[in-house]
Amino acid sequence: MYAAILGHLGADVVAANALASVVFDLAVVVSLGLASGGAILIGKEIGENRLEQARRDASRLCKLALFCGATGGILILLTRPLLLHIVPLTETASGYLAIMLMINSYYIIGKSINATVIVGVFCAGGDSRFGLITDALVMWGVSIPLGLLCAFVFRIPAMVVFFVLCLDEFVKMPFIYRHYQQFTWLKNITRDFSAEEGTAQGT
């Protein structure tokens, strides 16, 4: 849907977005790897019933996600002048690309933190439903409707539409942070097979 919205704003927007997406994906790959690796680490600790250690490591993971996101944003900003110089785009598309890369340089921070918390922390405790609901509500209830309104009803400039589409991570961040602070995700969801075996033998 994002691509469909941007695709109706002109060929220059599509060309700039294609390149900006590739740069963003390369910059965010470490953060996504951190999220997946963190899920394994915290899941193992929860499975061993080391809940306090899991809580501490979850906090460290969030701080590391912030660092990785900021580093990715700096990387995007550092490569921005080079990309604008070497990539053969029209003047209009180059202008769009410059703005998109600037927006992505801070959007990646929200993406890194949210992905780490939802995929790495919540899922490790078996709380994947909250992330699913939050992602679905923000995407289909906020970002896409606003993007459609801005692009086809209000007909505001293309880069403002792109900015609106990149608000999703920051819209859901307060809800994710509140849920994280409640620590309802921190529970041992594994079954105690040794206890079950003892019960079965006693029976």
Side-chain angles (χ1 to χ4, degrees):
M1 286 300 299
Y2 288 179
I5 294 172
L6 293 175
H8 282 77
L9 299 178
D12 289 325
V13 177
V14 173
N17 182 59
L19 184 57
S21 297
V22 172
V23 175
F24 181 83
D25 289 343
L26 290 174
V28 81
V29 67
V30 175
S31 298
L32 298 182
L34 176 68
S36 299
I40 297 173
L41 171 66
I42 296 176
K44 181 176 183 295
E45 292 172 346
I46 293 177
E48 295 172 349
N49 210 32
R50 294 189 290 142
L51 301 186
E52 192 57 38
Q53 181 64 41
R55 177 184 295 195
R56 289 195 296 268
D57 284 342
S59 177
R60 295 189 185 101
L61 201 64
C62 292
K63 294 174 182 176
L64 189 56
L66 175 60
F67 174 78
C68 288
T71 302
I74 293 173
L75 180 63
I76 291 175
L77 291 177
L78 290 177
T79 58
R80 181 169 170 261
L82 178 63
L83 289 170
L84 294 174
H85 178 71
I86 65 174
V87 177
L89 295 174
T90 65
E91 183 177 351
T92 302
S94 294
Y96 287 154
L97 177 60
I99 297 174
M100 287 179 173
L101 291 175
M102 185 67 70
I103 293 174
N104 281 342
S105 68
Y106 66 82
Y107 178 69
I108 192 175
I109 298 176
K111 180 71 173 181
S112 177
I113 295 174
N114 289 341
T116 299
V117 176
I118 292 176
V119 178
V121 177
F122 292 168
C123 289
D127 191 4
S128 58
R129 182 175 63 177
F130 181 84
L132 171 64
I133 293 174
T134 304
D135 283 341
L137 287 179
V138 171
M139 178 180 293
W140 294 102
V142 179
S143 295
I144 291 178
L146 280 179
L148 290 171
L149 286 173
C150 290
F152 302 112
V153 178
F154 302 123
R155 299 186 181 279
I156 61 178
M159 290 301 95
V160 180
V161 176
F162 183 78
F163 172 78
V164 169
L165 292 176
C166 290
L167 288 176
D168 57 337
E169 297 295 345
F170 299 98
V171 170
K172 63 187 176 186
M173 188 176 289
F175 303 100
I176 292 172
Y177 179 75
R178 181 175 178 273
H179 188 69
Y180 170 81
Q181 287 294 320
Q182 291 175 340
F183 293 106
T184 54
W185 54 269
L186 188 62
K187 54 184 178 294
N188 191 343
I189 60 174
T190 60
R191 299 171 62 187
D192 191 344
F193 290 104
S194 59
E196 290 183 358
E197 184 179 351
T199 302
Q201 289 178 352
T203 304

